[in-house]
Amino acid sequence: MATAPAAARRDRTHYLYLAVIGAVALGIAVGFAAPGVAVELKPLGTGFVNLIKMMISPIIFCTIVLGVGSVRKAAKVGAVGGLALGYFLVMSTIALGIGLVVGNILEPGSGLHLTEAAKAAGEKQAAGASEGTVDFLLGVIPTTLVSAFTEGEVLQTLLVALLAGFALQAMGSAGEPVLRGIGHIQRLVFRILAMIMWAAPVGAFGAIAAVVGETGVDALKSLAVIMIGFYVTCALFVLVVLGTLLRLAAGVNLFALLRYLGREFLLILSTSSSESALPRLIAKMEHLGVSKPVVGITVPTGYSFNLDGTAIYLTMGSLFVAEAMGTPLSVGEQISLLVFMIIASKGAAGVTGAGLATLAGGLQSHKPALVDGVGLIVGIDRFMSEARALTNFAGNAVATVLIGTWTKEIDKERVAEVLAGRVPFDERTLLDESGDRAPAVSAESDVPDQREQPVPVPTVKV
């Protein structure tokens, strides 16, 4: 008897995302028809993204504490984290290399000229870049135990959550009441997130209208080569590199996974922010069948260290700037740039507008003479940020499935059922509270069986 009401509620969320599509189309129309008015609508998009960001820290905290707190051995968490960081380093390097290759083929900066206005814009972006890797690492440590939540720092929240999870793990049965309480808090924050999502059409309208109004048609025409080339490169990276790896390593069809995450991609496209979909990615990866520890560690860490789209942008953007300023980089300089950007891209985590700021900061440290040329990209950077965000999100979704497969913390039967559409995601709660998930029983798993589970948190077969 509960099936019909549930279906009706799912239908209402379906209409919500149709409204988002309509809002995006309307925003584009307003941006072209009345650019001045469209720019003034920017706070609508900013406000919606800020509402989503407000929920990121508590969701990450609850997910990681519940996941780590229910794992028998701390070594399992360390293995997941180490494997994830190693994978992120390799994939970021591949993405940087692909950006270099495509940049050399297209030579997109040829024929452009640097103006004084563009020169000033480049200097401004360099000033907003990350201060350095050491400062970034020290910034992972919060000022107080709760400041990570109040300041919205993802990596600081990750650190506090891991410490809390390990502490509860060491407390044994004494920590069970705390875990149960955090389980209830998790349900609360996901309910709040589901409520916030109903503001998505308003946020999408404001964000898209402002982007189109600020950019205009002229900038798109003059910089079409670098923009279209970047979009095509990102698409090929996702479809060929990530798709092949996902099929060979996990036996999962990339298109099925992308279709499952379709609403999240729409959300990112309409807000130009991959962070707007981070909480939903955590919920959907758990629903897919990946264990809580893997999701809780891989997704937040990936949002800082697995920036495939940003990596492609860094090397393509660097070559574009060098060509536009009439000082093309030699092969040796390009290799040196590649090595430098591997480090710079990691130290840029958490920077607002990370792509453009990191490009400016990287060039300032590696080849200061090129910094002024960054101003040439400023006009279309918001459109390129769409491709960056979509590629980063796809990379982190694929990474979560791969890490789950390699650590044997994924229920492959459930993955097949979910991707086939036979186990729909609950849009009302964003949680899998059905209670029909089978317990982990593999001898290689460190997740306790159902009798030892201190909290009624869904687990998976591995």
Side-chain angles (χ1 to χ4, degrees):
M1 288 187 292
T3 304
R9 282 189 289 267
R10 280 196 296 273
D11 285 341
R12 286 202 293 270
T13 64
H14 174 68
Y15 294 132
L16 166 64
Y17 285 90
L18 288 178
V20 171
I21 295 174
V24 169
L26 181 60
I28 292 173
V30 171
F32 282 126
V37 175
V39 172
E40 296 300 319
L41 297 172
K42 187 173 183 178
L44 293 177
T46 303
F48 174 71
V49 172
N50 287 345
L51 282 173
I52 298 290
K53 288 182 177 181
M54 175 181 74
M55 306 306 300
I56 290 177
S57 289
I59 287 173
I60 290 175
F61 179 80
C62 292
T63 301
I64 294 178
V65 171
L66 290 173
V68 174
S70 62
V71 173
R72 185 178 303 161
K73 295 179 182 178
K76 171 64 73 175
V77 178
V80 171
L83 184 59
L85 288 174
Y87 170 82
F88 296 158
L89 179 62
V90 171
M91 292 309 295
S92 296
T93 304
I94 292 173
L96 286 165
I98 290 174
L100 275 184
V101 172
V102 175
N104 277 288
I105 294 173
L106 293 180
E107 297 184 351
S110 300
L112 291 179
H113 303 286
L114 185 66
T115 64
E116 287 300 317
K119 181 177 179 180
E123 294 173 348
K124 180 180 178 182
Q125 290 299 326
S130 174
E131 294 180 3
T133 303
V134 174
D135 296 308
F136 161 68
L137 293 175
L138 290 176
V140 174
I141 304 172
T143 306
T144 67
L145 196 63
V146 296
S147 64
F149 302 97
T150 58
E151 295 175 6
E153 295 289 341
V154 172
L155 290 181
Q156 290 184 2
T157 305
L158 179 65
L159 175 63
V160 172
L162 285 172
L163 292 174
F166 285 131
L168 288 170
Q169 187 184 82
M171 289 170 65
S173 58
E176 292 179 11
V178 179
L179 282 172
R180 280 195 293 271
I182 292 175
H184 291 304
I185 293 174
Q186 184 190 46
R187 293 184 180 90
L188 171 64
V189 295
F190 272 117
R191 281 282 188 174
I192 295 173
L193 178 64
M195 294 164 60
I196 290 173
M197 291 309 301
W198 285 96
V202 177
F205 170 70
I208 288 295
V211 170
V212 175
E214 289 175 346
T215 305
V217 179
D218 293 337
L220 298 181
K221 289 180 180 177
S222 63
L223 298 172
V225 174
I226 179 67
M227 190 170 68
I228 295 173
F230 179 62
Y231 265 79
V232 172
T233 304
C234 287
L236 291 176
F237 176 81
V238 172
L239 298 178
V240 178
V241 178
L242 295 182
T244 302
L245 185 58
L246 186 64
R247 168 61 74 181
L248 295 178
V252 175
N253 183 281
L254 176 69
F255 293 102
L257 181 64
L258 298 183
R259 184 171 60 250
Y260 171 62
L261 298 171
R263 291 185 172 186
E264 287 65 46
F265 281 110
L266 175 60
L267 187 62
I268 293 169
L269 188 65
S270 60
T271 60
S272 297
S273 171
S274 59
E275 281 191 334
S276 63
L278 191 157
R280 289 180 59 89
L281 179 61
I282 290 176
K284 279 204 163 181
M285 288 293 102
E286 288 184 12
H287 176 75
L288 184 65
V290 185
S291 71
K292 276 183 175 289
V294 172
V295 174
I297 293 171
T298 305
V299 174
T301 309
Y303 260 70
S304 293
F305 293 99
N306 189 37
L307 306 175
D308 298 329
T310 303
I312 295 172
Y313 172 84
L314 289 177
T315 44
M316 283 189 70
S318 298
L319 294 181
F320 167 81
V321 170
E323 288 279 350
M325 296 190 69
T327 56
L329 299 177
S330 65
V331 175
E333 288 175 320
Q334 290 183 31
I335 294 175
S336 175
L337 174 72
L338 174 66
V339 174
F340 181 83
M341 285 299 184
I342 291 173
I343 301 171
S345 62
K346 301 298 177 288
V351 177
T352 302
L356 194 60
T358 308
L359 175 63
L363 289 176
Q364 186 178 51
S365 301
H366 183 72
K367 197 168 182 179
L370 296 180
V371 174
D372 294 343
V374 174
L376 290 166
I377 305 181
V378 171
I380 61 164
D381 181 70
R382 284 300 301 273
F383 277 99
M384 295 177 74
S385 74
E386 308 276 3
R388 284 201 305 266
L390 292 169
T391 306
N392 291 343
F393 182 82
N396 285 313
V398 170
T400 306
V401 175
L402 292 175
I403 302 301
T405 301
W406 291 331
T407 57
K408 301 182 180 178
E409 291 286 339
I410 188 171
D411 185 342
K412 292 189 176 181
E413 292 180 4
R414 183 178 176 88
V415 171
E417 291 292 302
V418 170
L419 294 184
R422 290 187 285 270
V423 183
F425 180 70
D426 190 346
E427 292 284 348
R428 294 173 297 121
T429 64
L430 308 185
L431 284 170
D432 180 25
E433 299 183 293
S434 60
D436 59 358
R437 295 281 292 277
V441 294
S442 170
E444 296 156 314
S445 175
D446 293 316
V447 180
D449 64 28
Q450 195 65 30
R451 291 168 297 179
E452 298 173 325
Q453 190 77 3
V455 183
V457 178
T459 54
V460 298
K461 287 192 295 186
V462 293

